[in-house]
């Protein structure tokens, strides 16, 4: 049981959450250190998105969670973002009617007025592709550019922990590499990242550690350097070699 | 005798005794409550059961009252015949007011009924040559013995009792259950073959006729009518009586109607404030007690349920339920293409689901599994390609046609009627198997009673099969999530389906429950029903499927036995996203 | 006569348009249509008459106080009738809760204010009685000012963009850390101001009358329904067209037929295009 060491940023234990009557998380334990990239893998319906939503306060949850030395209980997404815990939701959901700059300014809604535009420039520095289109409507961007914008929105807050939910979904391989390369440079700046990803090889290549979820629980925790990781992951996804219960 | 009748008999008995100890003034008040109930009792099926927010029903009262009064005053028609005529006019107008409900939802529909009410009042005011305009005209005068206050009271009471009986018969029938299904689980209602247009038209005819007759009675009660008598406040009172009484109940709204009619009599200083109080009551009910009076009276659902209930399916009972043998035809999809906003969810898919087999459909997120299921069950209209059952084409975009073809399904999130009992929820599955017409049902004729008996027995069987028979009388929203999943399967089994489409039935189930679900699915298939299983739990798929299709990006990536798939290199890598 | 029709039509139409905008402001923030929209218009007139005519306040403070009172009613709508039912939007309980609140407002006004139309103070005294009477163009001015104000809000201020953001994707806005609840209350307050402005500006024309609430509720909803929910341009064009059409029909064929015609157009368009003339088709259900 990892005790809140100085280099631990997020500690979750026994987290349960769900939608109405449907329980999705059944006691999740997880820790993330400062400046660490952690990949969260698992089949559909395992509860990865639910976990991210619970941690960022978008969904109610029970259990214990501490972030940066403070309790996360009852914290709203707004408070979480103020503390440096930023969640980029799945599906590059940017505001299509607003310009790129406005999308980013909104991400800095709680920042002091004078600081906002410099933070926007700072976030755009990671993505020259969309910096050139800062006056365009976000709806006019391609899917990949919208995803970059969504990540850039997260960066406006200078997060301590950035949670990315499937940033590669629907992107071409080149763009996936592009988005993920930003994650790498963020790590160098000390930002921790929790990455939910379907592209396992790419996620493993980037991450320091990996968690795999199945049926609302963590079923695997490993360093990405471990040798038999692919085999262990396969088991986590498909279960142990199945013995048919019926003829 | 059914104990549920006792409260009605009590109320009716008290109403019969009223003349013995009350003065004539109370005859008028009592008659008013009875006349209002004739309207509210019919409207209850529309609002309380069907969930259609018709707030302007005073329009039908107005039409009925003027029809009756004009026919009597200007053409000398017999008053009783004029009531019948008012019923006919009300029924026709009821359909006209109601039809927008087939296209429009809630707020929009409420607004159209409100607009209709405004128009009718304006016409009554403007069409002076017939309605007398603002001066008005006399209402029908009834002959002896109904010409005294108590005589009219008893006449109105008889009609109120009649409407109670008729609406209770409808409410407790497949029509009533289907109405509630449209209200609370419209998508599931379509999958069980319920035709919303036909059902709503019938019910609007019924409630319109009741409102028209109530209008005729109202004209007699008032003895002289002007457009002022038909205020929007009155309309709101009818509507609020139903909601205060509780949706999906007859007794609740009946009590609500009595309370709302009598309240001003007991609190004379508050008469001016009565509409304000009703509105406050409506707000309070919606926010604090959505079940209304009916929920207060529902004692049986307060008893705590056993904790730690286990779902134990009785597979031996399946043979009695699914007695159709193995169907011959397969479900076949040919080159189906379907996109959402430019993204191809299904991109040229061929698929054959054979009878008597468990066919697994797996694939990563967004690979088109549920979309495929929705094409087969008719919710989506593909841009290209066809779906067949054997050689019969499956019409696209017409989910209500699938039940008759023997294709049943469950949903990713269980679609259920929380306020109805588990038994009633399951009986919804057999709606299309009913043989009695609406009129036979309304009058509780033998064919209707036979239907009910058969469906109840069949539903108990289906519940026993999935292991929920102990919970049959319990309100469905009290069940656990896993029990609701099995309840949906029981509902689907009511069709004796040739094919059963299951959309992630194991989601949210415990390990034990998944094992029992697997056994149930296999047993269903062995009784001749083809099962198409969309599922994320790879273990379950590999355990129970005869055949597995793997989708990726809307196309078939691999197909074969679980063993083939388990060894398929590309599948493993597609799943692992490498 | 044409001038009279046009003057009255534009004035009434501008009032409908503003009530339509009131509906839209509430809808954008919460996906809820509220029966209180028309009541806010009615209250604008009643509060104006109360503060200026009955209590003798000067026009400007009376005007500001009337709008502030309407903003408060907007916020109360959000807290009492909308927020508690947002969790179960698919049950459409908001139709009932806002209907309850709207009726309470209407009845309270009828009892405590008057059941008869009460005079509204003359604000400027411009051209008494002619087609250029202020009562005809004040609603138009209010409409233009509202459009300009909303344009400024949405294009020039961050809070305005935040309104647009929660209207487009409430979940993403919440995830981004926007104060969604405060913004929603802000939208309802703004809706109160716009509704109040509609009633205040048309006060000399429609008077301070409790039954205006129900009337504005219906005729303000027609352009919204026809133009598509949340579409302010549709609501404004539709509202003004409706006003002119209604007044013309009033003059030419009489009030009843005008009402019937409006209702018929409303029903037919909705049955053919339930999402309105400019609205997007319904989304997936399964």
């Amino acid at each position: 049981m990892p005790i809140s060491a100085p280099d631990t940023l997020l500690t979750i234990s026994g987290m349960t959450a769900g939608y109405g009557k449907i329980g999705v998380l059944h006691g999740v334990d997880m820790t993330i250190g400062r400046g660490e990239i952690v990949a969260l893998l698992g089949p559909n319906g395992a509860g990865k998105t639910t976990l991210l939503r619970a941690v960022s306060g978008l969904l109610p949850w029970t259990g214990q969670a501490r972030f940066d030395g403070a309790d996360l209980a009852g914290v709203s997404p707004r408070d979480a973002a103020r503390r440096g815990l930023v969640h980029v939701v799945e599906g590059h959901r940017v505001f299509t009617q607003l310009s790129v700059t406005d999308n980013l300014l909104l991400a800095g809604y709680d920042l002091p007025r004078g600081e906002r535009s410099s933070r926007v420039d700072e976030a755009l520095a990671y993505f020259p592709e969309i910096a050139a289109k800062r006056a365009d409507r976000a709806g006019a961007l391609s899917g990949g550019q919208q995803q970059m914008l969504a990540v850039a929105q997260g960066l406006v807050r200078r997060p301590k922990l950035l949670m990315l939910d499937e940033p590669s979904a629907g992107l071409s391989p080149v763009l996936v590499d592009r988005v993920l390369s930003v994650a790498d440079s963020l790590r160098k700046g000390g930002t921790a990242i929790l990455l939910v990803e379907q592209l396992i090889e790419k996620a493993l290549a980037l991450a320091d550690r990996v968690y795999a979820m199945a049926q609302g629980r963590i079923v695997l925790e490993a360093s990405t350097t471990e040798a038999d990781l692919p085999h262990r992951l396969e088991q986590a996804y498909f279960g142990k070699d199945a013995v048919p219960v019926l003829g | 005798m059914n104990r549920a009748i006792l409260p009605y008999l009590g109320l009716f008995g008290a109403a019969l005794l009223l003349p013995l100890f009350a003065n004539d003034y109370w005859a008028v008040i009592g008659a008013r409550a009875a006349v209002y109930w004739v309207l509210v009792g019919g409207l209850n099926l529309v609002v309380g059961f069907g969930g259609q927010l018709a707030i302007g029903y005073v329009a039908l009262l107005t039409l009925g009252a003027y029809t009756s009064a004009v026919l009597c005053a200007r053409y000398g028609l017999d008053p009783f015949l004029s009531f019948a005529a008012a019923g006919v006019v009300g029924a026709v107008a009821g359909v006209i007011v109601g039809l927008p409900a087939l296209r429009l939802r809630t707020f929009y529909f409420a607004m159209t009924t409100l607009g209709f009410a405004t128009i009718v009042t304006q016409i009554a005011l403007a069409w002076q040559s017939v309605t007398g305009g603002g001066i008005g005209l006399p209402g029908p005068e009834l002959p002896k013995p109904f010409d005294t206050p108590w005589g009219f009271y008893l006449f109105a009471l008889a009609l109120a009792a009649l409407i109670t009986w008729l609406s209770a018969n409808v409410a407790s029938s497949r029509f009533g259950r289907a109405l509630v299904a449209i209200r609370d689980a419209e998508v599931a209602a379509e999958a069980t073959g319920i035709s919303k247009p036909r059902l709503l038209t019938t019910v609007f005819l019924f409630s319109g006729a009741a409102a028209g007759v109530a209008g005729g009675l109202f004209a007699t009660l008032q003895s002289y009518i002007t457009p002022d008598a038909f205020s929007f406040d009155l309309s709101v009172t009818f509507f609020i009586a139903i909601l205060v009484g509780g949706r999906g109940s007859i007794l609740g709204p009946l009590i609500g109607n009595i309370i709302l009619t009598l309240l001003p009599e007991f609190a004379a200083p508050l008469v001016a404030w009565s509409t304000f109080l009703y509105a406050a009551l409506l707000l309070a009910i919606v926010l604090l007690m959505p079940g209304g009076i009916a929920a207060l009276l529902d004692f049986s659902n307060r008893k705590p349920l056993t904790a730690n209930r286990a779902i134990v399916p009785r597979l031996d009972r399946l043979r009695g339920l699914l007695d159709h043998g193995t169907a011959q035809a397969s479900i076949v999809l040919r080159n189906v293409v379907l996109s959402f906003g430019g993204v191809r969810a299904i991109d040229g898919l061929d698929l054959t689901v054979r009878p008597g087999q468990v066919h697994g459909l797996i694939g990563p997120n967004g690979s088109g599994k549920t979309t495929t299921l929705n094409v087969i069950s008719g919710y989506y209209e593909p841009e290209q390609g066809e779906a067949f059952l054997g050689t019969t084409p499956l019409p696209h975009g017409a989910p209500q046609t699938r039940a008759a073809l023997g294709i049943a399904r469950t949903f990713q999130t269980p679609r259920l009627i929380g306020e109805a009992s588990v038994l009633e929820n399951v009986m919804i599955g057999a709606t299309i198997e009913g043989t009695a017409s609406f009129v036979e049902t309304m009058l509780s004729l033998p064919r209707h009673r036979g239907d009910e008996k058969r469906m109840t027995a069949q539903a108990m069987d289906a519940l026993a099969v999935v292991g929920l028979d102990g919970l049959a009388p319990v309100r469905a929203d009290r069940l656990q999530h896993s029990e609701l999943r099995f309840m949906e399967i029981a509902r689907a089994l009511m069709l004796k389906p040739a094919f059963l489409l299951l959309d992630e039935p194991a989601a949210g189930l415990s390990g034990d429950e998944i094992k029992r679900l697997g056994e149930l699915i296999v047993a269903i298939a062995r009784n001749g029903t083809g099962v198409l299983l969309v599922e994320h739990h790879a273990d379950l798929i590999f355990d129970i499927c005869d055949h597995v299709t793997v989708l990726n990006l809307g196309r078939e990536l691999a197909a074969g036995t679980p063993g083939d798939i388990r060894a398929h290199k590309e599948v493993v890598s597609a799943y692992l996203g490498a | 006569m044409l001038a009279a029709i046009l003057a009255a039509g534009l004035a009434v139409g501008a009032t409908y348009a503003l009530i339509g905008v009131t509906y839209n402001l509430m809808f954008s923030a919460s996906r809820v249509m509220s029966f209180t929209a028309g009541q806010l218009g009615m209250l604008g007139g009643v509060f104006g008459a109360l503060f200026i005519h009955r209590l003798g306040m000067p026009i400007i403070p009376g005007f500001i106080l009337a709008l502030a009172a309407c903003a408060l009613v907007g916020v109360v709508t959000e807290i009492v009738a909308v927020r508690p039912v947002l969790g179960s939007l698919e049950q459409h309980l908001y139709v009932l809760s806002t209907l309850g609140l709207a009726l309470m407002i209407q009845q309270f006004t009828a009892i405590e204010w008057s059941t008869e139309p009460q005079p509204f103070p003359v604000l400027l005294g411009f051209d008494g009685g002619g087609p250029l009477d202020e009562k005809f163009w004040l609603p138009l001015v209010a409409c233009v000012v509202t459009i300009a104000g909303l344009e400024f809000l949405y294009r020039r201020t961050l809070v305005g963009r935040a309104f647009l953001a929660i209207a487009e994707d409430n979940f993403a806005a919440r995830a981004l850390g926007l104060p969604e609840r405060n913004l929603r209350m802000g939208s309802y307050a703004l809706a109160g101001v716009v509704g109040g402005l509609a009633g205040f500006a048309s006060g000399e024309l429609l008077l301070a009358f409790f039954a205006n609430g129900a009337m504005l509720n219906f005729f303000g909803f027609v352009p919204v329904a026809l133009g598509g929910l949340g579409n302010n341009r549709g609501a404004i064009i539709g509202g003004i067209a409706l006003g002119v059409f209604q007044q013309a029909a009033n003059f030419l064929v009489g009030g009843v037929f005008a009402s019937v015609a409006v209702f018929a157009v409303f029903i037919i368009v909705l049955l053919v295009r339930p999402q309105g003339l400019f609205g997007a088709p319904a989304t997936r259900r399964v």
Side-chain angles (χ1 to χ4, degrees), chain A residues 21-22 44 198-200 215, chain B residues 365 477 479 536-537 576-577:
Chain A
K21 276 189 175 184
I22 309 174
N44 299 329
Q198 292 286 337
L199 304 179
I200 294 182
Q215 296 174 32
Chain B
N365 251 348
D477 57 8
L479 264 56
H536 287 317
H537 287 79
L576 297 181

Side-chain angles (χ1 to χ4, degrees), chain A residues 133-157:
Chain A
K133 299 190 170 189
R134 55 197 308 163
D136 292 10
R137 268 191 328 113
L141 301 183
S142 72
Q145 289 167 337
Q146 289 185 348
Q147 184 61 57
M148 291 181 200
L149 177 55
V151 176
Q153 281 182 318
L155 296 182
V156 169
R157 297 286 189 142

Side-chain angles (χ1 to χ4, degrees), chain C residues 205-222:
Chain C
L205 187 66
L206 303 175
L207 306 178
F209 184 31
F210 85 102
N212 282 349
M215 186 272 288
L216 289 176
N217 232 1
F218 183 71
F219 289 115
F221 178 69
V222 173

Side-chain angles (χ1 to χ4, degrees), chain C residues 17-39:
Chain C
L18 287 175
I19 298 299
V21 172
T22 307
Y23 270 113
N24 279 340
L25 283 169
M26 299 199 232
F27 176 78
S28 303
S30 59
R31 307 279 122 184
V32 158
M33 302 299 293
S34 171
F35 276 105
T36 53
Q39 305 299 344

Side-chain angles (χ1 to χ4, degrees), chain A residues 21-23 26 43-45 48 166 198-202 215 230 233-235 237-247, chain B residues 363-365 369 413 476-481 484 508 514 518-519 522 536-539 542-544 566 572 575-578:
Chain A
K21 276 189 175 184
I22 309 174
H26 306 287
N44 299 329
K48 306 179 298 280
E166 299 208 20
Q198 292 286 337
L199 304 179
I200 294 182
E201 281 182 6
K202 289 196 190 286
Q215 296 174 32
L233 270 175
E234 199 177 313
Q235 279 194 339
Y237 271 64
F238 291 96
K240 306 280 181 272
D241 284 329
V243 181
V245 287
L246 293 149
Chain B
N365 251 348
K369 303 176 300 280
T413 316
D477 57 8
R478 303 181 69 204
L479 264 56
Q480 293 160 3
H481 171 71
L484 295 177
I514 291 177
E519 290 163 358
V522 170
H536 287 317
H537 287 79
D539 315 23
F542 291 137
D543 276 356
I544 67 167
R566 190 72 184 77
V572 175
Y575 237 73
L576 297 181

Side-chain angles (χ1 to χ4, degrees), chain B residues 12 18 87 101 140 151 215 237 239 281 295 307 379 384 390 400 442 490 492-493 509 521 538:
Chain B
F12 188 66
L18 188 65
T237 310
F239 186 75
L281 197 57
Y379 289 97
Q384 279 179 46
Q400 70 283 2
M442 193 170 81
L493 290 177
L509 267 54
I521 292 172

Side-chain angles (χ1 to χ4, degrees), chain C residues 6-135:
Chain C
L6 216 54
L10 288 174
V12 176
T15 311
Y16 295 162
L18 287 175
I19 298 299
V21 172
T22 307
Y23 270 113
N24 279 340
L25 283 169
M26 299 199 232
F27 176 78
S28 303
S30 59
R31 307 279 122 184
V32 158
M33 302 299 293
S34 171
F35 276 105
T36 53
Q39 305 299 344
L40 287 167
M42 178 272 286
L43 286 179
V46 169
F47 282 136
L50 171 69
F51 295 143
I52 300 169
H53 202 264
R54 204 174 276 186
L55 302 181
M57 291 172 80
I59 288 175
I60 300 288
F63 171 66
I64 292 172
L65 204 57
L67 294 195
C70 287
L72 186 68
V73 173
V75 172
V76 168
T77 302
E78 197 277 332
I79 295 173
V80 172
V82 174
R83 194 184 301 169
V85 295
L86 274 185
S88 49
L89 215 49
E90 71 289 347
Q91 288 184 35
H92 302 279
L93 291 178
Y94 61 86
V95 182
L96 307 177
S97 59
T98 62
L99 175 67
L101 184 62
L103 282 169
M104 286 167 73
I105 293 172
Q106 178 180 319
Q107 291 303 312
F108 187 85
T109 312
I111 294 165
E112 294 297 319
W113 171 250
S114 171
T115 52
E116 296 301 318
Q118 297 295 316
F120 190 87
V122 175
L123 298 174
L124 309 172
F126 187 89
D127 187 28
L132 293 180
D133 189 310
E134 65 184 39
K135 73 180 175 189

